[in-house]
Amino acid sequence: MKEAQVLGPLFVKGREPTMNDIITTILNHRSIRHFEDKPLTDEQIKTIVLSAQAASTSSYIQAYSIIGVKDQEKKKKLAELAGNQEYVEKNGHFFVFCADLYRHTLIGKEEQKDVTQSIESTEKFMVGLIDASLAAQNAAIAAESLGLGICYIGGIRNNLEEVKKLLKTPDRVIPLFGLAVGYPAKMTEQKPRLSFEHIYHENEYEQSMATYLQQLREYDELISDYYEQRTGGKRKDRWTAQMAKMLENQSRMYMKEFIQKNKLDLR
Amino acid sequence: MKEAQVLGPLFVKGREPTMNDIITTILNHRSIRHFEDKPLTDEQIKTIVLSAQAASTSSYIQAYSIIGVKDQEKKKKLAELAGNQEYVEKNGHFFVFCADLYRHTLIGKEEQKDVTQSIESTEKFMVGLIDASLAAQNAAIAAESLGLGICYIGGIRNNLEEVKKLLKTPDRVIPLFGLAVGYPAKMTEQKPRLSFEHIYHENEYEQSMATYLQQLREYDELISDYYEQRTGGKRKDRWTAQMAKMLENQSRMYMKEFIQKNKLDLR
């Protein structure tokens, strides 16, 4: 049993959960954005990838690939593409997780079966995304269990045409996000999550609008206090305001066209 | 250090990875399809959900919800909808993970910001899927760390119209998969994964077709041996043949229409 305070503000309002070392590692997660200049060993990389591969996969389809980027020029370019995020370039290793139905397309040809309709369906696009994400989270937990820090990099989706060229991914492979891994040089704080009651519904989705909105208001108060404390009173942002502002700004609106040009999510 | 043989056939061809208890748990995963008749406690459920919530989330958006189904009638109905999978009904607890941009739609209204274009984009649909999947895999690992078994249930996507009615999910909420959790009553074997070399690419996606196809052939041999050994020579299936057959059979082709009717992935 670790002491409750190691858990950070995630659990301000929660009851202390049943603990073990694995759950402590999971609950202790924070995104790390400053890494030591120390590359992962090949053995660490292999451990992380094998952990990713151990995740569940829809009907054994294994519809994902992982590209590990070691080449410094490529990393630099990826960092620029991701919106000048320095930690994409400076880390212990940079993984890119891709939804991948390319191998299944080849298999269809080899086996002389018409798999095209199926591969181009929204369903299989979803399978690729889910498979890749389950694998990635296993990789993240495995890395953290080795004392490494991680940060997901959705920023690579800013410009997937360029990322695709850089990583030479064929059609039916969609780079989804990066995972920067390395030895933490600077710790970050955890940001409090939505309440358990708001995320978790019993038997059916919350039907009371009053309850639903009240939960969001209470969360706003929590977040507002959190930012205020963290910034010595300078920032008083609410989560809902932050989200509305972010979503008002349309981003990556080219995505549908890109995915369909890469022959997924077509039908 | 645990002994290598606990790892099962996943690692027949791999070097033994760096081990700790967390990585052992991850590598030891197998889907459990028979559970004891013993419900999870509320504390276990809370621990699993809080673990899910600790996962990374794209730009803090938290675009997912979890519905825990306790009602036996609903579980029975879900089991039927998932293709008469008994373990959907008989387990310790049944979670449904959903991509959720409903709360963000409400927030847009409350904050008087036009968030519709953004929420209806393919990019945000992907964010919802990724967020929900990262959370789910944390839940799965947390459950396994508590000595519980898990099985993902993609079968709920057989008929999402009915699942939506049953769980009363509003527009912009897509139930993605179930997660059956409980005390294992019967262990299953692990199925060997694609080789590390086939899943993991360095610096760029594998460009040699010969190498790529050779990896698939070697994997087919491994899988063929695996089925043969497991069935005393009765089954000699290759993975590529299995995949081609599965993908030739078009399934869940209504998905695009369903997602778009629920106002996601529209633009």
Side-chain angles (χ1 to χ4, degrees), chain B residues 144-156:
Chain B
E144 290 180 336
S145 83
L146 296 172
L148 301 164
I150 67 113
C151 188
Y152 279 92
I153 311 291
I156 67 161

Side-chain angles (χ1 to χ4, degrees), chain B residues 213-229:
Chain B
L213 290 176
Q214 181 57 25
Q215 288 166 347
L216 289 174
R217 273 190 292 268
E218 285 172 12
Y219 184 54
D220 269 348
E221 281 170 32
L222 179 72
I223 292 296
S224 192
D225 289 351
Y226 165 77
Y227 282 126
E228 202 176 344
Q229 280 172 28

Side-chain angles (χ1 to χ4, degrees), chain B residues 15-30:
Chain B
R15 190 160 35 130
E16 190 185 349
T18 311
M19 296 299 292
N20 61 38
D21 284 352
I22 299 181
I23 289 169
T24 302
T25 298
I26 288 175
L27 297 182
N28 204 31
H29 164 72
R30 62 223 42 224

Side-chain angles (χ1 to χ4, degrees), chain A residues 212-259:
Chain A
Y212 202 83
L213 291 175
Q214 181 57 27
Q215 288 167 346
L216 289 174
R217 273 189 292 270
E218 285 172 13
Y219 184 53
D220 270 347
E221 281 170 34
L222 179 71
I223 292 296
S224 193
D225 289 351
Y226 164 77
Y227 282 126
E228 202 177 345
Q229 280 171 30
R230 224 183 54 161
T231 60
K234 278 179 205 154
R235 184 173 172 184
K236 286 196 82 170
D237 212 0
R238 292 171 298 118
W239 182 75
T240 58
Q242 198 180 321
M243 287 302 112
K245 201 175 152 191
M246 178 178 80
L247 291 165
E248 192 183 28
N249 174 30
Q250 294 172 29
S251 72
R252 305 173 190 159
M253 299 300 284
Y254 76 99
M255 194 58 73
K256 179 172 274 306
E257 199 186 327
F258 177 82
I259 303 291

Side-chain angles (χ1 to χ4, degrees), chain A residues 63-79:
Chain A
Y64 66 96
S65 286
I66 305 168
I67 304 174
V69 188
K70 276 189 176 169
D71 181 286
Q72 272 305 322
E73 278 309 302
K74 274 193 205 291
K75 284 175 84 167
K76 197 177 169 192
K77 182 76 179 144
L78 280 171

